[in-house]
Amino acid sequence: MKFDDKVPIYYQIKNYLYHEMITGQLKPGGKLPAVRQLAVDLTVNVNTVQRALGEMMTAGIITSQRGKGNFVTTETTRITQLKEKLVMEELERAYEQLHALNLTDDEIIVGLKQYIAQRGQRND
Amino acid sequence: MTNVLAIDHVGYKHNFKTILHDVDLTLEPGKIVGLLGENGAGKTTLMRLITGGAKGSGTIAVCGDTQAAHHRSHVSFTEQLRGFSASTRVEQVASFYRTVYADFDGARFEELVTFLQIDTSLKIAALSKGMKEKVIIALTLARQVNLYLLDEPFSGIDSMSRKRIISSILKWKPADATMVISDHYVSEIAPILDEVVIVKDQTVYAHQAADDIRAEFGVGIERYYESLYEGSGQRD
């Protein structure tokens, strides 16, 4: 995985794993790879992985079972909430950037609709 | 928890020229630390001082032990295969290590040799630059110690070898051991670093957690490192 060196790595690892959960690559109740394996797979430091997992545990997205490893929560509502949160963050980012270009709310909606329509044609 | 390394007020002169002065540096167990600085900044000298291979002023404690003669048993450092003749085969170097270092783990060495695809029947003279670095990594990591020092393991080697070496570090570094990797070009190793130590103006100029640099300054490690050189003399 390619990381943006300007953003804390633990934060990017968290987002990567959240992404895996939301898209179902990691299922509710599913086991996460061992910490060192994750570090090798993502080419990051073991401590950085641990920091990311620690925050995910605090947030209740994963649970640790002594001697067995880390598991995705079985509470699917938490994953739904996570998805909503990430979608909101992405929307906020796009919204603020468009606002910075002096677009009004209506212009943003029109622009977005046009973009989706054009993109749909291109994919056909 | 004892610090793996505690350097207090260390200085080193060579032919009346100051190479390092007033160096203070403390490293905790279990970290991967990038030692960054220009060519000739004193990174290799600092590593030699840590192993006891060079003698300067001030005190250096490795795992709480300030006696330089004891440092070799806590520190694994393979300096460019110096001291071996060009006709020595890799397997002969390994058997020398096995004899000299009680902590050299033959099984670990074999795992590393397989992972890094090293042909141990080759003579040192026949090793390419990348292969020589792989041999150094295998020898260094096969020892079970508290502190590993790697001196510019990535300079001038191809990207496939670099990736293999980085993976081997992540796989084989013991969890509670600390590893110091020196480099003058940081971006390729930035994601695996816990901390960054910058050697500049003959001393340790900065010591920061890598993710703190990203969070506090919103810049990459490379950019941060370059900015210290650009803003010469100005420090916060």
Side-chain angles (χ1 to χ4, degrees):
Chain A
M1 171 181 182
K2 195 92 185 106
F3 289 100
D4 178 354
D5 197 40
K6 294 191 289 297
V7 180
I9 304 291
Y10 79 91
Y11 183 81
Q12 296 181 71
I13 296 171
K14 233 167 59 171
N15 273 350
Y16 165 78
L17 290 171
Y18 284 163
H19 206 271
E20 297 278 285
M21 291 173 194
I22 290 166
T23 56
Q25 303 293 111
L26 278 170
K27 301 262 186 295
K31 189 175 188 296
L32 269 72
V35 174
R36 199 181 279 253
Q37 190 56 51
L38 270 174
V40 173
D41 290 348
L42 302 175
T43 321
V44 290
N45 193 303
V46 169
N47 298 322
T48 318
V49 173
Q50 239 140 14
R51 182 172 177 187
L53 296 182
E55 293 202 356
M56 290 165 73
M57 254 170 244
T58 310
I61 308 294
I62 61 170
T63 54
S64 171
Q65 290 181 29
R66 198 172 283 273
K68 285 186 182 167
N70 298 311
F71 295 83
V72 181
T73 179
T74 48
E75 295 174 47
T76 47
T77 48
R78 277 197 192 271
I79 298 185
T80 315
Q81 283 167 1
L82 194 63
K83 182 174 179 176
E84 281 165 10
K85 188 169 160 271
L86 287 188
V87 169
M88 278 319 201
E89 277 175 17
E90 291 298 330
L91 285 174
E92 188 182 335
R93 197 182 332 219
Y95 180 82
E96 270 169 15
Q97 279 175 0
L98 292 171
H99 239 247
L101 294 170
N102 290 334
L103 263 66
T104 65
D105 287 357
D106 287 337
E107 283 168 336
I108 290 174
I109 292 169
V110 171
L112 193 58
K113 277 183 180 160
Q114 268 174 5
Y115 173 77
I116 292 169
Q118 278 168 10
R119 215 189 142 90
Q121 280 169 7
R122 230 188 312 146
N123 289 345
D124 284 341
Chain B
M1 206 159 49
T2 325
N3 289 313
V4 169
L5 180 68
I7 299 180
D8 188 26
H9 250 78
V10 162
Y12 181 77
K13 282 186 176 147
H14 184 70
N15 293 337
F16 304 107
K17 190 174 174 281
T18 299
I19 310 291
L20 290 168
H21 69 86
D22 295 316
V23 174
D24 292 318
L25 178 66
T26 306
L27 299 180
E28 294 167 5
K31 306 279 185 187
I32 300 181
V33 181
L35 182 65
L36 310 176
E38 287 182 321
N39 288 325
K43 304 186 294 287
T44 307
T45 301
L46 188 56
M47 288 190 172
R48 286 206 198 111
L49 287 165
I50 294 168
T51 57
K55 287 191 182 22
S57 56
T59 55
I60 297 181
V62 178
C63 300
D65 191 340
T66 53
Q67 270 195 281
H70 297 167
H71 289 178
R72 277 178 194 281
S73 65
H74 297 291
V75 184
S76 185
F77 179 45
T78 301
E79 203 185 337
Q80 296 304 312
L81 296 175
R82 272 191 205 185
F84 294 101
S85 80
S87 62
T88 316
R89 296 181 193 279
V90 174
E91 58 205 9
Q92 293 172 310
V93 178
S95 82
F96 174 81
Y97 265 64
R98 205 167 290 145
T99 315
V100 171
Y101 298 111
D103 53 42
F104 187 87
D105 184 333
R108 263 167 82 89
F109 182 71
E110 288 310 317
E111 285 172 30
L112 281 152
V113 159
T114 308
F115 183 79
L116 293 168
Q117 297 158 326
I118 297 168
D119 177 356
T120 56
S121 68
L122 288 176
K123 291 177 177 175
I124 290 177
L127 300 175
S128 66
K129 183 123 179 75
M131 192 50 75
K132 193 175 167 196
E133 277 311 328
K134 286 178 177 176
V135 170
I136 290 172
I137 296 286
L139 291 167
T140 307
L141 281 172
R143 290 187 59 199
Q144 300 258 34
V145 294
N146 307 94
L147 182 59
Y148 295 87
L149 307 178
L150 298 177
D151 193 14
E152 304 212 348
F154 306 110
S155 64
I157 70 165
D158 60 281
S159 70
M160 285 311 293
S161 296
R162 188 172 68 226
K163 281 177 187 156
R164 279 263 144 178
I165 289 174
I166 288 177
S167 294
S168 68
I169 290 170
L170 295 171
K171 272 179 198 267
W172 275 282
K173 185 189 81 64
D176 52 359
T178 286
M179 175 175 283
V180 178
I181 306 171
S182 76
D183 214 331
H184 56 269
Y185 182 68
V186 57
S187 64
E188 55 202 9
I189 54 162
I192 68 161
L193 301 178
D194 284 297
E195 295 173 3
V196 173
V197 169
I198 291 168
V199 180
K200 182 178 177 278
D201 303 340
Q202 290 99 39
T203 194
V204 166
Y205 190 85
H207 180 194
Q208 285 259 8
D211 266 354
D212 285 355
I213 292 172
R214 299 184 181 101
E216 254 177 65
F217 307 105
V219 296
I221 306 301
E222 182 86 30
R223 189 76 207 88
Y224 169 76
Y225 167 57
E226 285 170 359
S227 74
L228 292 186
Y229 273 91
E230 282 161 10
S232 238
Q234 303 168 8
R235 201 179 165 190
D236 27 326

